[in-house]
Amino acid sequence: MAINRRNLLRAAGLGVGLAALGSATGCVPSEPGAKPPAETSVPTTEPPAGQVDWEGLRKRLGGTLNLPSDSGYSTAKLAFNPAFDSRQPAAIAQCANASDVQACITAAANARIPVAARSGGHSYAGYSTPDNGLVVDLGRMTGVQVNADGTAVIGAGTRLMDVYNGLAQAGRCLPAGSCPTVGISGLTLGGGVGVLAGKYGLTCDNLVSAQVVTADGTLRTASATSEPDLFWALRGGGGGNFGIVTSFTFQTVAAPQLAVFQVRFPAGSLTDVLAGWQSFTASAPDEFWSTLGISAGSPPTCRINGCYVGSESAMNALLDKLVAATKTQPANRYSLTKDYLSAMMYFGGCANYSVDQCRPNWNGGGVLGRETFTASSRVLTKPLSDPSRLTALVTGREGMDILLDSLSGAPSRIGAKDTAFPYRGALATAQIYVGAATSAARNSVNEVRDGLGDLTGNTACVNYIDPGLSNWASAYYGDNASRLRDVAKRYDPHGVFAFDQSASKV
């Protein structure tokens, strides 16, 4: 039985995509400990602002450059959300390797035009589709290479379906998100909450190193011992801020046996279910991860979906305790045993598809379509003291879903300042989602976002970036904001990667 992705992880998260893998022909990583330039300047011999030698760039690329006059432009510019189809980038460079990325960054920096990386193209704000800017599309820079020591080198343009498939073929596992068409890049750079987070941590917690092209065109290795400040920022600091990643190296674990479940509750039970879910989740075993999904309406309905690292029988014993905590008799309950790849396909709504089918239909040869939506987020740093207030907030909002994704377990045992992701020890992220891009949808999302903010404080998740969020720097990054700003200014002193909610503007 497949879970409808629109009801489970309808808008599984990421901010602006940032990365991809390919050969680094013509360039090498910086030496460990290499320092970024203290200051750079725009050469006076380059074209004036806004002018790029597009044909010269086209000749330098191993990949494809699409200008508005080219036949491939209309398809190449498409992101996941059709709400951004009216935007008109100056060009889309479908890069083949790190050298292509370097050429694109240099061209954009010299002409002083916007440049944005695109991995899966799922940016909630459409930041990977800038008007009059250069899109550095990393979708061709893909691949999963598992090494003898269990680490895996993954192209930063690789979509999650191909990440999971590539790892599963080697018997390995990486915790990551649920939406199969999301790129590994934006997910990792914004943190990366997924169904295995309780046991194995956030996606960014498993990052060993990254290859990054910075604003000066240098390809650098960011790790704990090489460019450590940059490495810190890449683990939760958001996409599009510090450079363009060309590949990631992750630690992986042996692919485990998994069990999955869904429990649906009768209408009118949200307050009791939320109270019980909060209580159980705060002390749940690492192996048990869950998300409380709320379909707003009159009255709201809710369900709990989840994943367990271990046997189905052990999971059901815990699920009995969770249901008891809600003090509510479920309307429906089921559980299934899955291997790693099958579980990831199940959560992605692809249980009835092949791996090849579980890819985008607009640029990946699969059957999965694009989705129009409006969304935002909050973070529950602790259980809500009065769950009935959330029930009141969402009652009557037909067409809206709220998804509370657990952050308990392994993510909570990393220090809040050890990575850029600040919400260590929080209870859950909260996604707010409407499957439309109308003014009414935006207003409704804003109202719930702000109302939920009254309950949670000024919190938000950068993977679900929202251009209308007030005091966004503090909401996304908390006490890590100032350090992120310093890293951005150090590696991008002239704002080559600046956008409305970039770290340079924190």
Side-chain angles (χ1 to χ4, degrees), residues 78-102:
L78 296 179
F80 177 70
N81 191 340
F84 306 117
D85 283 357
S86 62
R87 295 190 181 179
Q88 295 292 315
I92 301 96
Q94 295 170 314
C95 295
N97 51 50
S99 294
D100 284 2
V101 175
Q102 291 175 296

Side-chain angles (χ1 to χ4, degrees), residues 282-505:
S283 58
D286 289 2
E287 291 78 10
F288 189 99
W289 180 91
S290 65
T291 178
L292 172 59
I294 303 166
S295 293
S298 300
T301 60
C302 61
R303 68 272 178 197
I304 301 175
N305 299 295
C307 186
Y308 180 74
V309 181
S311 70
E312 187 176 347
S313 61
M315 181 193 72
N316 275 314
L318 289 167
L319 194 53
D320 288 342
K321 296 179 179 179
L322 171 56
V323 171
T326 70
K327 301 178 181 179
T328 304
Q329 180 64 36
N332 178 266
R333 168 177 166 172
Y334 69 82
S335 62
L336 301 166
T337 297
K338 295 280 186 181
D339 61 39
Y340 169 62
L341 179 59
S342 295
M344 296 305 102
M345 295 182 71
Y346 166 88
F347 280 111
C350 289
N352 296 321
Y353 297 144
S354 67
V355 169
D356 287 341
Q357 289 175 315
C358 194
R359 293 183 177 127
N361 64 8
W362 69 99
N363 64 3
V367 301
L368 303 184
R370 303 162 74 211
E371 292 184 15
T372 300
F373 67 92
T374 303
S376 190
S377 70
R378 289 294 184 186
V379 178
L380 280 63
T381 57
K382 58 184 179 181
L384 299 178
S385 59
D386 184 359
S388 68
R389 293 182 64 185
L390 179 58
T391 301
L393 182 62
V394 302
T395 296
R397 297 183 184 275
E398 303 291 342
M400 175 179 286
D401 279 77
I402 312 292
L403 299 170
L404 304 182
D405 295 338
S406 171
L407 279 174
S408 66
S412 68
R413 290 191 286 275
I414 293 177
K417 294 188 176 182
D418 290 346
T419 68
F421 185 85
Y423 290 111
R424 306 298 181 168
L427 178 73
T429 59
Q431 299 182 54
I432 307 162
Y433 181 98
V434 172
T438 61
S439 58
R442 182 74 264 176
N443 290 339
S444 187
V445 167
N446 290 351
E447 289 169 3
V448 172
R449 176 199 66 201
D450 295 344
L452 188 53
D454 292 338
L455 307 179
T456 65
N458 183 39
T459 62
C461 183
V462 73
N463 266 151
Y464 316 126
I465 202 162
D466 176 357
L469 184 66
S470 62
N471 200 8
W472 54 268
S474 175
Y476 294 143
Y477 305 124
D479 291 340
N480 291 334
S482 61
R483 184 178 176 186
L484 279 167
R485 180 184 61 243
D486 291 344
V487 174
K489 288 185 176 180
R490 180 184 177 196
Y491 284 91
D492 186 12
H494 302 297
V496 172
F497 300 111
F499 57 96
D500 287 347
Q501 290 180 300
S502 62
S504 61
K505 297 184 179 182

